[in-house]
Amino acid sequence: NAGVMQNPRHLVRRRGQEARLRCSPMKGHSHVYWYRQLPEEGLKFMVYLQKENIIDESGMPKERFSAEFPKEGPSILRIQQVVRGDSAAYFCASSPQGGDKQYFGPGTRLTVT
Amino acid sequence: KNEVEQSPQNLTAQEGEFITINCSYSVGISALHWLQQHPGGGIVSLFMLSSGKKKHGRLIATINIQEKHSSLHITASHPRDSAVYICAARGSQGNLIFGKGTKLSVKP
């Protein structure tokens, strides 16, 4: 059973471009969480999704950021018009049910130049 | 004041020492997680607990719900235990609220 997969592992974007980060949860997991870790800071919750539904997006910046978890395929975190402050490690985690232990992916390190 | 506080922030130990990392939280939680983040950045979930105590190998986690406090213990520490240990409180919606982490360095 493969773990949580994230790709790309490293992503470089120029200011103003779009970044798309993908997360494939573990097999059998229908709950996905996205977290961000800014340089020298702790992890912060961004959004919690279940298949085709956003359960909690209280940690998402109001503009430029969106997330989806379609019926088929990976969860996508999309950042439009990236700025230098978006440079961070973005981690995805998944769980079978909402209250279960979460399993983390390896993260995507986004660098905005 | 952060909702989840960890101490100490940094910890250096000699190989073989018994290590304790503390976590206090001010929010109502449904469970508490202990995570390990390796120097390369990967995150491993060590424990999820809502009461009592759990043990896995040399790692022990305890939680006191009334006092809103949890501890992570490492017995017979080893240099390979060097990592950042993160406490995270799980809210009612399932999202995690993280402490700032404790950076552990175990010297041979």
Side-chain angles (χ1 to χ4, degrees), chain B residues 15 36 38-39 58 76-83 85 104 106:
Chain B
E15 183 173 354
Q36 180 192 52
H38 296 286
R58 295 180 295 105
S77 59
H78 190 277
R80 65 174 175 265
D81 296 327
S82 298
Y85 291 84
L104 171 66
V106 182

Side-chain angles (χ1 to χ4, degrees), chain A residues 33-68:
Chain A
Y33 310 80
W34 284 95
Y35 301 98
R36 177 164 69 172
Q37 189 173 37
L38 292 166
E40 306 302 321
E41 292 192 21
L43 286 152
K44 294 273 193 269
F45 166 75
M46 297 184 77
V47 62
Y48 164 30
L49 309 107
Q50 199 180 350
K51 284 282 187 184
E52 299 185 278
N53 287 308
I54 296 174
I55 306 299
D56 181 357
E57 57 182 346
S58 58
M60 286 276 271
K62 293 288 185 281
E63 297 175 351
R64 302 188 297 109
F65 284 72
S66 62
E68 62 176 10

Side-chain angles (χ1 to χ4, degrees), chain A residues 89-102:
Chain A
Y90 292 82
F91 290 93
C92 148
S94 73
S95 66
Q97 300 293 334
D100 292 342
K101 183 176 174 181
Q102 296 180 21

Side-chain angles (χ1 to χ4, degrees), chain B residues 11-19 74-79 81-82 104-108:
Chain B
L11 181 57
T12 300
Q14 285 299 127
E15 183 173 354
E17 284 185 4
F18 180 84
I19 287 160
I74 305 175
T75 61
S77 59
H78 190 277
D81 296 327
S82 298
L104 171 66
S105 177
V106 182
K107 305 294 185 191

Side-chain angles (χ1 to χ4, degrees), chain A residues 9 33 35 37 41-45 48 55-56 58 91 98-106 109, chain B residues 2 31 33 35 37 40-48 86 90 93-100:
Chain A
R9 295 289 304 274
Y33 310 80
Y35 301 98
Q37 189 173 37
E41 292 192 21
L43 286 152
K44 294 273 193 269
F45 166 75
Y48 164 30
I55 306 299
D56 181 357
S58 58
F91 290 93
D100 292 342
K101 183 176 174 181
Q102 296 180 21
Y103 295 82
F104 284 77
R109 277 147 189 85
Chain B
N2 287 336
H33 293 245
L35 310 170
Q37 187 167 28
I43 297 172
V44 174
S45 184
L46 298 174
F47 294 104
M48 183 184 78
I86 303 167
R90 194 179 80 217
Q93 287 276 51
N95 59 294
L96 296 180
I97 304 165
F98 298 88
K100 291 189 175 179

